[in-house]
Amino acid sequence: MNFDYNEEQQLLADSLRRYLQAQYSFEQRKKVLDGSAEVWAKFVEMGLLALPISPDHGGFGGGAVDLMAIMEAFGEALVVEPYLPTVMASRLIARGASDARKSELLPAVAEGRLRLAFAQTEGGARYDLAAVKCKATRSGDHWLLDGKKKAVLGAPLAGKLVVSARSEDGIGLFLAEKNDIQSYRGIDGMLQGDISFSRAKAERLDGGLPLIEEAIDFGAALICAEGVGAMKSACDATLEYLKTRKQFGVPIGTFQALQHRVVDMFISAEQARSMACLACSKVDQSATPEERKRAVSAAKIRIADAARHVSQEAVQLHGGMGMSEEMKVSHTFRRLTVIAAQFGDADHYLARFAAL
Amino acid sequence: MDLNYSAEELAFRDEARAWLAANLPRELKGKVEQNAHLSKEDLLRWHRILAKKGWVAPAWPKEWGGTGWNVVQRYIFEEELGYAGSPPIIPFGVTMCAAVLLQFGSDAQKKRFLPRIYNGDDFWCQGYSEPGSGSDLASLKTKAVRQGDHYIVNGQKIWTTLAHYADWIFCLVRTDTSGKRQDGISFILIDMKTPGITVRPLILMDGAHEVNEVFFDDVKVPAENLVHEEGKGWTVAKYLLGHERMNTGRIGASKRELEKLKEFAKDISEVRFRDRLSRLEVELMALEITNLRFLDRMRRTGQPPGADVSMLKITGTEIQQGLTELFVDALDPAANDEFAVALRKRYLSMRKTTIYAGSNEIQRNIISKMTLGL
C-alpha cells in the first residue's frame, strides 16, 4: 500500500507545475485558448506525449497512474491543450492498428508531430456508447464513413481521427482524416468540433465496443484526476479569498457559517481524490472489465458530485467576484461543470454502477 | 501508487479474520447482527476473550500488553473486528484512560490500573460533559477542592455512557476558578463506589439505557488519583483528543452494515432508492481510501495524523446514519417484527453519532482552525 507518486512521477509533476506556474498563468492562458505550438512543444520536450506511448514506438509505456499527476497539474492550471484526446486516440491506435500504422503514427505522437482526437459522441446519444449511428461500409480494400460526430474534443487541432461507426458486423473503430469540421469552444474554453463524414475514406482498426468502453473508462479516470486538480484550485482560491476579503470590519473567513462550508468543500475534494486514485489504479490493473467499470463508475459519481459541490460553493463564497469573467475561479467553475459530465454524468454512472 | 495491501498485510488480515471467525461467540455475533442489546456481561466476555489472546489493546506499548503492530496492522485488525460483527471494545478504559495513563500517569498509577483495564477487571466511563458544558467543555463546573490528602468533588456530569456499568470514572474537574478557565481544570480518577456518587439513567429516544447523569455530592477522592499535575487537565484532554482518532470512521462496521443492507434491500428495484444506496456505497469506498491515505502518511512520517483527520469522523458518522436511514426506508412499512423494530430503534439511536465525541460541527471548527487556518 502506497498512495504517493513514485519519484519519477513526482519529479515530472513538479517540473510541469513549475512550468505552468511560470508560463501558463491565468493571464497567459487567455492568449493560448486556441492551442499554442509553443506550449505543445514544451509538453513534448518534457516527455508528456511520449509517456503513454509504448517503448516499442519511442515512448515510456506509462499508464493512468503515471498520467494522473500530469492531469492534476493540468486541472489546477486549466490547461486547454488537447492532451487527453490525443492520449485516448493513440491508445486506441496502439490496441487496434496494424503494426505498420502504429510505427507510423505513434512515434509521431510521442515526438509531438501529430495530435489526435477520438470522434465518438453523436447528437442525441448522450452517454450511451452503443448508440452509434455513423455508418461504415466496405469499399474495396478500405471503408467509407457516413454520418455526424459532435463535440469532438481536440478535433480542430487533430491531424487524424479515430472514429466509432457501425458496420454490418457491429460497432467498430476507424482511422480517418477530418474533412468537414465546424470548430468551436466549449463553455470551458476547450476546442472541439462537429464533424460530418460523407463517403469519407477510412481504415478499419481492430476492436469494437469493449475497446471503446475501455478507452472511455481510461479517459474518465484521467478526467477524474484533472477534476481533482481543478477542485484543489477552487478550494485554495476560496480559502485565500475568505482570509483576505473583509466585511463588517473582519475577514469573512471568521464567520462560522462560511468556515463550515469551506471545510465541506475540502472534504469533498479529498473524497474525490481518493476515488481518482482508485479509478486510475483500476484502469491500469483490474482482474476483470467489471472490476474496472465498477471502480470508474464509483469514481465518476463521486467526482461529478464533488465537482458540482466544490465549484458551486467556490463561486458562492466568492460572492459577486465569483461571477466575474476576470476571476480564475469562474473559469474553474466552467471547467468543473464540464468535467462533471465528461464521458458520462453522475446519473449515467449511477445506472451503470447499480447494474454491475 | 499501490492501493493494495502487501502480501504480509493480507496474511495478517487473513489470520485475524480466521481467528475472529473461530473465536467470536455465536450469541454475541447474533446480537450484534440483530442490533440487540449488549449487556455488561456480553461486553466483558468478548473483552476477556481478546485479552486472553493478547489482542485487546494492540496500541499499548509491548511491556504493558500491546501487540507491537504498526498503524496499518492495527487498522486492519479494527476493521476486521467491525466486519466480523464483534461487540465493540468499550474505549473508555482501553483506548482513552490507558492512553492518558501511559502518557501522563505515575508508575504507581500505571501498575495499579493498566493490568486491570487490560483484563477487564475494571469497567471505565468518561466524565466530561456537564449540563452547561457540551461543546464548550472548558466551561465545566464540577469542583474538586483539595483537603489534606483528598479532593472533595461536587457537581454533575451528563451523557455519561455506561456509567451504570462502570467501576471507575475519569473526570475533568475544576480545581481553580481564578485564572484562565482552561488552566483551572484537572484530570482525576474516581472510584464509582465512593459514597456520594449517584448514577441516574437518561433514557434516549430509542428507549435504551446507555447514558446517565452522574452526581457528585461531597465525594472524597484520594489525591493520588490525580493524573498529571493539578491544573493540567486541559493538556491531558487535548492529548486524548489527538490520540487514536484513526478508527472514528468505523469503516469495517459500516461495510458489514452495507452488505446486510444490500442483501436486505435486494428486491427493491426502485431507481431512487438504488441511487441513494449507490451514492452511500461510493462514499464508503472513498472514505476507506481516504482513511488508508491517512494511515499511509502516518506510517511513512511516524507522525500522528493532523487535525484534518476529523474528516473521518464527520464522513464516517454521516455514512453510519445514512445506512440506518436506508434500512428504515427499505423496511416494509407494515413490518412490525423484532428485526423491524430493532432497525427503527437503531435509526433513532444512531442520530447520536454526529453529536458525540465532539459534534460534527466541532470537528468542522477543528479543521477550519487547525488545517485551513481560518
Side-chain angles (χ1 to χ4, degrees):
Chain A
M1 190 176 76
N2 173 11
F3 290 87
D4 270 352
Y5 293 123
N6 66 31
E7 203 183 334
E8 280 177 344
Q9 290 161 347
Q10 193 60 52
L11 283 173
L12 182 59
D14 288 347
S15 66
L16 174 59
R17 268 198 186 85
R18 272 196 303 277
Y19 166 71
L20 291 173
Q21 275 156 14
Q23 303 294 326
Y24 208 86
S25 69
F26 179 54
E27 288 307 314
Q28 288 156 319
R29 172 185 177 270
K30 287 180 190 167
K31 298 181 192 124
V32 296
L33 279 180
D34 287 329
S36 152
E38 229 171 274
V39 173
W40 197 258
K42 187 67 190 179
F43 288 174
V44 171
E45 184 194 314
M46 295 175 88
L48 305 191
L49 275 302
L51 186 55
I53 304 290
S54 85
D56 299 344
H57 300 107
F60 301 108
V65 170
D66 295 300
L67 301 182
M68 194 182 157
I70 294 170
M71 295 307 293
E72 268 186 66
F74 281 180
E76 286 166 31
L78 301 178
V79 167
V80 295
E81 271 29 64
Y83 181 72
L84 186 57
T86 300
V87 170
M88 286 173 71
S90 63
R91 190 177 175 88
L92 291 168
I93 289 169
R95 278 160 172 65
S98 66
D99 287 344
R101 271 282 179 255
K102 282 192 246 185
S103 302
E104 175 201 341
L105 299 178
L106 296 178
V109 170
E111 290 159 21
R113 290 182 278 116
L114 178 65
R115 280 176 278 196
L116 302 167
F118 179 28
Q120 190 273 318
T121 322
E122 297 184 12
R126 294 189 64 83
Y127 309 112
D128 182 359
L129 300 179
V132 174
K133 289 200 188 110
C134 204
K135 251 175 43 189
T137 38
R138 191 185 269 283
S139 167
D141 62 349
H142 59 269
W143 292 74
L144 296 173
L145 299 181
D146 284 284
K148 283 194 169 86
K149 292 289 178 181
K150 294 204 71 171
V152 179
L153 272 179
L157 298 171
K160 274 194 191 315
L161 305 172
V162 175
V163 186
S164 63
R166 189 175 290 280
S167 71
E168 276 175 351
D169 53 351
I171 295 167
L173 288 162
F174 300 84
L175 192 62
E177 308 289 328
K178 63 166 201 234
N179 293 316
D180 183 2
I181 180 169
Q182 236 188 327
S183 300
Y184 56 96
R185 276 192 215 140
I187 57 162
D188 56 348
M190 292 284 188
L191 270 181
Q192 47 204 285
D194 295 347
I195 304 161
S196 299
F197 299 100
S198 174
R199 295 184 64 75
K201 211 173 148 187
E203 183 178 322
R204 177 131 198 190
L205 304 177
D206 285 340
L209 193 56
L211 185 59
I212 294 173
E213 286 175 343
E214 197 271 345
I216 295 293
D217 277 349
F218 177 81
L222 289 179
I223 211 84
C224 285
E226 186 179 348
V228 166
M231 281 185 247
K232 181 180 187 309
S233 163
C235 285
D236 289 348
T238 305
L239 183 59
E240 181 61 25
Y241 191 75
L242 291 188
K243 286 178 178 175
T244 48
R245 167 74 174 167
K246 284 188 177 173
Q247 286 289 272
F248 308 103
V250 290
I252 59 173
T254 57
F255 303 137
Q256 195 182 40
L258 305 190
Q259 289 174 352
H260 285 195
R261 288 167 70 170
V262 78
V263 166
D264 285 341
M265 289 168 67
F266 274 86
I267 294 176
S268 258
E270 286 303 324
Q271 290 283 80
R273 178 181 294 276
S274 292
M275 293 311 280
C277 290
L278 179 73
C280 289
S281 297
K282 291 291 181 188
V283 295
D284 280 349
Q285 218 170 19
S286 277
T288 60
E290 281 64 39
E291 186 184 339
R292 180 198 78 222
K293 288 181 188 179
R294 191 178 144 75
V296 171
S297 301
K300 194 71 207 319
I301 291 165
R302 193 63 186 89
I303 269 78
D305 287 351
R308 281 253 162 102
H309 172 218
V310 167
S311 65
Q312 290 174 355
E313 289 289 78
V315 166
Q316 179 67 23
L317 297 187
H318 272 82
M321 291 307 286
M323 295 296 298
S324 83
E325 171 76 17
E326 69 178 78
M327 293 287 282
K328 184 183 173 187
V329 73
S330 74
H331 295 258
T332 312
F333 180 89
R334 301 180 210 186
R335 184 72 194 122
L336 281 169
T337 301
V338 170
I339 284 173
Q342 191 111 55
F343 307 125
D345 60 11
D347 288 347
H348 171 75
Y349 284 103
L350 278 165
R352 190 170 84 155
F353 188 74
L356 280 169
Chain B
M1 186 173 301
D2 177 7
L3 272 60
N4 302 309
Y5 286 128
S6 68
E8 294 78 32
E9 286 162 344
L10 286 175
F12 174 82
R13 185 194 67 185
D14 292 344
E15 185 197 341
R17 190 173 284 182
W19 186 85
L20 288 169
N23 290 279
L24 174 59
R26 198 177 300 163
E27 313 87 83
L28 294 182
K29 186 181 165 73
K31 282 188 178 184
V32 170
E33 280 177 351
Q34 297 297 314
N35 299 311
H37 172 72
L38 290 163
S39 67
K40 181 177 178 180
E41 288 65 39
D42 290 333
L43 296 172
L44 283 176
R45 181 177 172 201
W46 180 232
H47 181 110
R48 286 173 184 145
I49 291 171
L50 285 174
K52 199 172 156 213
K53 172 70 177 171
W55 283 359
V56 83
W60 291 16
K62 266 189 144 168
E63 49 174 317
W64 292 105
T67 53
W69 296 337
N70 66 28
V71 286
V72 175
Q73 290 172 307
R74 267 151 49 195
Y75 168 79
I76 290 172
F77 181 65
E78 280 165 5
E79 193 186 342
E80 288 304 316
L81 280 176
Y83 193 67
S86 73
I89 297 299
I90 301 302
F92 307 114
V94 167
T95 310
M96 302 171 87
C97 188
V100 165
L101 291 175
L102 285 162
Q103 179 72 13
F104 301 104
S106 66
D107 282 345
Q109 285 171 335
K110 287 183 204 169
K111 281 191 193 125
R112 179 176 171 198
F113 292 110
L114 289 178
R116 294 183 61 81
I117 290 175
Y118 194 94
N119 295 318
D121 297 330
D122 292 334
F123 201 109
W124 283 79
C125 65
Q126 175 190 27
Y128 271 29
S129 295
E130 296 183 6
S133 306
S135 292
D136 181 15
L137 189 58
S139 69
L140 60 91
K141 291 196 184 73
T142 295
K143 241 169 61 176
V145 179
R146 182 79 182 241
Q147 268 184 19
D149 294 342
H150 288 80
Y151 285 95
I152 306 299
V153 178
N154 278 287
Q156 184 196 345
K157 295 291 175 182
I158 198 169
W159 313 125
T160 318
T161 303
L162 302 183
H164 54 303
Y165 291 175
D167 304 298
W168 284 82
I169 183 169
F170 62 87
C171 279
L172 290 177
V173 293
R174 184 157 301 285
T175 42
D176 187 0
T177 50
S178 61
K180 202 178 149 211
R181 55 188 202 157
Q182 280 85 353
D183 295 339
I185 293 172
S186 299
F187 192 98
I188 199 163
L189 315 176
I190 304 176
D191 185 339
M192 290 292 281
K193 288 184 289 297
T194 321
I197 296 180
T198 312
V199 176
R200 214 154 65 189
L202 273 171
I203 306 302
L204 298 184
M205 63 172 150
D206 60 339
H209 177 199
E210 190 174 325
V211 296
N212 304 272
E213 294 177 289
V214 182
F215 298 88
F216 300 87
D217 186 14
D218 284 334
V219 175
K220 214 172 151 187
V221 181
E224 67 197 37
N225 288 8
L226 180 76
V227 179
H228 203 22
E229 294 162 36
E230 193 177 291
K232 290 280 166 77
W234 196 250
T235 311
V236 176
K238 276 202 301 193
Y239 169 79
L240 195 49
L241 186 73
H243 184 84
E244 278 294 321
R245 294 205 294 154
M246 283 314 299
N247 193 30
T248 50
R250 301 202 188 256
I251 287 158
S254 286
K255 279 165 81 172
R256 179 173 49 84
E257 289 297 309
L258 178 75
E259 273 181 25
K260 265 166 61 183
L261 172 60
K262 284 168 86 171
E263 175 60 27
F264 183 66
K266 65 175 188 295
D267 295 330
I268 301 179
S269 55
E270 219 269 320
V271 173
R272 281 164 287 262
F273 181 86
R274 303 310 309 178
D275 283 354
R276 289 198 290 143
L277 180 59
S278 294
R279 275 206 164 88
L280 197 66
E281 180 168 5
V282 167
E283 200 62 20
L284 183 56
M285 288 169 81
L287 184 66
E288 184 174 18
I289 298 170
T290 303
N291 201 330
L292 292 173
R293 286 169 51 210
F294 273 102
L295 285 172
D296 182 42
R297 194 170 74 188
M298 283 167 70
R299 179 168 54 174
R300 273 183 296 105
T301 61
Q303 296 294 313
D308 49 352
V309 76
S310 282
M311 78 174 65
L312 302 181
K313 199 262 173 178
I314 295 171
T315 310
T317 51
E318 285 173 355
I319 289 170
Q320 290 170 57
Q321 291 184 339
L323 285 163
T324 64
E325 206 172 300
L326 285 175
F327 257 121
V328 168
D329 293 349
L331 268 178
D332 179 349
N336 208 20
D337 54 288
E338 211 178 319
F339 184 65
V341 171
L343 275 184
R344 293 195 184 106
K345 283 187 173 173
R346 187 171 161 78
Y347 166 70
L348 301 177
S349 170
M350 291 304 272
R351 302 312 300 171
K352 71 192 172 195
T353 61
T354 47
I355 299 166
Y356 68 31
S359 72
N360 285 16
E361 288 69 32
I362 289 292
Q363 304 295 340
R364 286 185 174 89
N365 286 353
I366 291 171
I367 297 176
S368 167
K369 188 176 168 191
M370 311 295 286
T371 307
L372 304 183
L374 287 173

